[in-house]
């Protein structure tokens, strides 16, 4: 698979398998789990047409300015530098996935998409299952939350692909409270797939999207983001589900215009990371605390390790008195 320039993360390839029994017996919805936003966007195809997830005006501009417009789109579409394998080795266990067919292409092939098309979904899933086979106690959340240009046949193709690639690693739908690492290890389940589309309702191996809400702040202001994260965390007990705190800022059109050449990372992410990471470090997991936390460019700071270490706060106080 093609890769953008690399970053580095700590080695957390087996962090779930290394947790003590007090944590592995807790509901997984109470643990702190690091995730990535637009997890697949480490490579996008500048040569392919603009994706169907974009507005008509963007497609029109891309048609007028062609390669120049796509170079700018690439700078704002890429939210990660690390491949799936590198993210997994660094400890990322939740993947935010948006998928699409290529309009006009024969067959039912499905691609990752964020403004521009990424790799084939099958290639990404193969990379993930290879890691899981080598690390039998690690568990991933695959959140298919946006689908574009997909008819019934495309959905059938993707759902069948997920079952073919992961086989008996797929965790059947169950009460969220009953999903602990101990349970998953016993059953040899390693993959929870969340599929936000009615076409998966009849498949017990696909969890519905309402079991993993991921409220979106949709702001460029780090202070407003943190206020939003606090508010939505305070409401998570209503849903009895997993929960995603999206610790990300979202560029508006004027943000992109101001930072046209710099791109998302240099213009928006890096200068706000200290504020966002201060919030992450101050969190506690548990029934009313954080569960999954997602970030852009997970290698810029030791994001995954910071989130994983929050789980120590759930352990009984071992201080000697």
């Amino acid at each position: 698979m093609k890769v953008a320039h690399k970053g580095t993360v700590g080695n957390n390839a087996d962090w779930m398998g290394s947790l003590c029994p007090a944590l592995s017996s807790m509901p997984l919805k109470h643990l702190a789990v690091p995730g990535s936003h637009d997890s697949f966007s480490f490579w996008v195809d500048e040569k392919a047409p603009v994706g169907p997830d974009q507005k008509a005006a963007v497609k029109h501009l891309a048609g007028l300015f062609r390669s120049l417009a796509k170079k700018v789109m690439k700078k704002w579409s890429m939210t990660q530098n690390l491949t799936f394998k590198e993210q997994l080795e660094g400890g990322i266990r939740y993947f935010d996935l948006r998928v699409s067919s290529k309009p006009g292409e024969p067959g039912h092939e499905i691609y990752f998409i964020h403004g521009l098309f990424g790799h084939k979904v099958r290639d990404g899933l193969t990379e993930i299952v290879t890691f899981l086979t080598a690390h039998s106690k690690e568990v991933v959340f695959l959140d298919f939350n946006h689908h574009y240009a997909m008819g019934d046949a495309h959905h059938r193709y993707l759902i069948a692909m997920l079952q073919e690639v992961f086989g008996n690693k797929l965790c059947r739908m169950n009460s969220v409270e009953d999903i602990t690492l101990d349970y998953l290890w016993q059953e040899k389940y390693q993959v929870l797939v969340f599929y936000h589309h009615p076409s998966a309702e009849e498949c017990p191996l696909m969890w519905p999207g309402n079991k993993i809400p991921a409220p979106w702040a949709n702001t460029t202001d780090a202070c407003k983001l943190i206020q939003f994260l606090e508010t939505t965390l305070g409401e998570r007990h209503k849903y009895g589900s997993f929960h995603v705190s999206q610790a990300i800022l979202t560029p508006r059109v004027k943000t992109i215009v101001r930072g046209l050449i710099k791109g998302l990372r240099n213009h928006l992410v890096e200068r706000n990371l200290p504020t966002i990471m201060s919030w992450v470090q101050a969190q506690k997991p548990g029934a009313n605390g954080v569960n999954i936390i997602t970030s852009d460019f997970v290698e810029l700071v030791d994001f995954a390790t910071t989130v994983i270490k929050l789980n120590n706060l759930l352990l009984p106080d071992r201080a000697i008195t």
Side-chain angles (χ1 to χ4, degrees):
M1 295 174 80
K2 299 172 188 174
V3 190
H5 69 277
K6 306 248 182 190
T8 56
V9 287
N11 183 5
N12 294 306
D14 295 292
W15 74 264
M16 285 180 159
S18 302
L19 291 176
C20 67
L23 295 175
S24 64
S25 61
M26 282 187 186
L28 193 48
K29 71 171 193 171
H30 292 174
L31 298 185
V33 177
S36 56
H37 169 237
D38 284 323
S39 311
F40 51 85
S41 63
F42 49 85
W43 182 81
V44 290
D45 187 358
E46 292 178 59
K47 295 178 182 175
V50 173
D53 59 333
Q54 294 300 297
K55 293 176 181 175
V58 174
K59 293 177 185 176
H60 179 65
L61 286 171
L64 289 175
F65 297 103
R66 305 208 174 178
S67 62
L68 177 63
K70 287 185 183 175
K71 284 188 190 314
V72 171
M73 285 187 72
K74 181 178 178 179
K75 283 178 177 285
W76 289 92
S77 294
M78 292 178 66
T79 67
Q80 304 298 334
N81 287 322
L82 304 184
T83 64
F84 286 123
K85 178 176 182 284
E86 291 166 334
Q87 290 181 47
L88 286 160
E89 288 172 346
I92 299 300
R93 294 294 177 268
Y94 166 92
F95 295 99
D96 164 31
L97 306 172
R98 296 130 197 254
V99 296
S100 177
S101 71
K102 278 187 181 175
E105 182 180 85
H108 301 115
E109 198 60 71
I110 306 296
Y111 299 81
F112 296 116
I113 191 164
H114 189 220
L116 297 170
F117 285 99
H119 286 291
K120 291 179 181 178
V121 170
R122 184 180 291 275
D123 292 342
L125 300 184
T126 301
E127 194 168 320
I128 291 169
V129 78
T130 300
F131 172 88
L132 293 175
T133 300
H135 302 270
S136 60
K137 285 194 164 184
E138 301 307 295
V139 174
V140 296
F141 298 80
L142 303 183
D143 193 358
F144 288 85
N145 50 58
H146 287 72
H147 306 80
Y148 299 97
M150 289 176 62
D152 290 343
H154 292 105
H155 285 288
R156 285 195 297 272
Y157 175 80
L158 178 53
I159 292 167
M161 182 199 303
L162 287 161
Q163 294 179 74
E164 176 195 336
V165 172
F166 293 115
N168 58 13
K169 286 180 166 60
L170 286 171
C171 177
R172 300 177 71 84
M173 204 165 32
N174 201 339
S175 164
V176 175
E177 284 290 341
D178 293 336
I179 303 297
T180 65
L181 286 173
D182 287 344
Y183 165 76
L184 295 167
W185 295 341
Q186 179 186 327
E187 300 296 329
K188 295 184 165 50
Y189 294 148
Q190 289 183 272
V191 183
L192 285 82
V193 174
F194 298 84
Y195 203 93
H196 299 237
H197 193 273
S199 58
E201 286 175 355
E202 301 304 314
C203 180
L205 296 170
M206 303 290 113
W207 291 63
N210 63 11
K211 295 297 182 185
I212 194 160
W216 177 41
N218 192 16
T219 182
T220 57
D221 185 317
C223 293
K224 287 181 180 175
L225 167 65
I226 286 166
Q227 189 176 27
F228 178 86
L229 291 171
E230 290 290 335
T231 300
T232 50
L233 263 183
E235 297 169 349
R236 72 165 290 205
H237 65 278
K238 299 177 185 175
Y239 302 103
S241 59
F242 299 104
H243 180 86
V244 181
S245 295
Q246 296 198 65
I248 59 162
L249 296 171
T250 304
R252 303 190 189 285
V253 172
K254 63 181 181 182
T255 318
I256 296 173
V257 170
R258 285 174 187 158
L260 203 60
I261 307 303
K262 285 185 174 181
L264 177 69
R265 173 176 168 167
N266 294 335
H267 185 68
L268 191 61
V269 175
E270 287 184 345
R271 61 193 172 93
N272 287 292
L273 260 179
T275 303
I276 293 171
M277 287 306 296
S278 292
W279 179 83
V280 173
Q281 290 164 351
Q283 296 314 297
K284 182 178 179 180
N288 298 309
V290 291
N291 179 203
I292 296 159
I293 308 177
T294 61
S295 177
D296 290 325
F297 302 107
V298 294
E299 82 289 352
L300 287 183
V301 290
D302 210 351
F303 169 74
T305 299
T306 302
V307 175
I308 293 164
K309 283 182 177 176
L310 295 177
N311 290 307
N312 293 333
L313 299 172
L314 294 171
L315 296 172
D317 185 6
R318 295 179 180 178
I320 298 172
T321 56

